Amino acid sequence: MYSSEAYKIDLKGLKDGVSSLEYHLDDSYFAALAEENEGLEVSRGCVDVALNINKVAETFDVTLRVAGKVVIPCNVCLDDMEQPIEASYKLVVKLGEEDSDEGDIITVAADEAIWDISWLIYEYVDLAIPVRHVHAPGKCNPVMMKMLGEHSATRSGGEDTAEADIDPRWNALKNLKI
């Protein structure tokens, strides 16, 4: 069961040195985020998150590791597929005047010093997904593959006539291949 309170870290309450936190993200985590945010790519998953926070004064060096599987749409057939992910990230968190996020440096308002990492974890899970994610060969939806084949055949038939209409000056450039 998802509880947003589990993802809030009291930075002032941490002792100097390294603190370790672990989270297990399941379908309820992704469903809760999908309710709050439209258009999320990850709909379901099973991901383990390890968070190591090294506190030195009011600066926190954070290492975040994600590993598991997420369910996302295939780039080719659009059916859901399981995508294994594994990644590690480093960032710095510091206390300051107000909350801000500047890449790898996050500032948390010092008056509250509560860091909500629920969205940050999702972003890092999303970053761990490869740009191209497709089913294994032969596993894509056969109906969709048939439709793609028909449409790409139609398009390639039109390209033959387009090549015949190419300006002859461009043909001279083909001779410049190295």
Side-chain angles (χ1 to χ4, degrees), residues 24-79:
H24 179 75
L25 311 179
D26 58 10
D27 293 347
S28 63
Y29 169 83
F30 295 107
L33 287 180
E35 285 179 18
E36 298 171 10
N37 307 281
E38 288 186 34
L40 297 183
E41 182 175 36
V42 180
S43 60
R44 299 187 315 269
C46 181
V47 179
D48 291 316
V49 178
L51 191 68
N52 290 325
I53 305 171
N54 185 13
K55 179 181 179 183
V56 179
E58 291 190 350
T59 303
F60 307 85
D61 294 321
V62 178
T63 302
L64 184 125
R65 290 186 184 90
V66 295
K69 292 183 180 183
V70 292
V71 178
I72 54 177
C74 173
N75 286 138
V76 176
C77 71
L78 302 177
D79 278 358

Side-chain angles (χ1 to χ4, degrees), residues 44 85 94 96 120 123 136:
R44 299 187 315 269
I85 59 168
K94 61 182 183 174
L120 180 81
E123 287 179 332

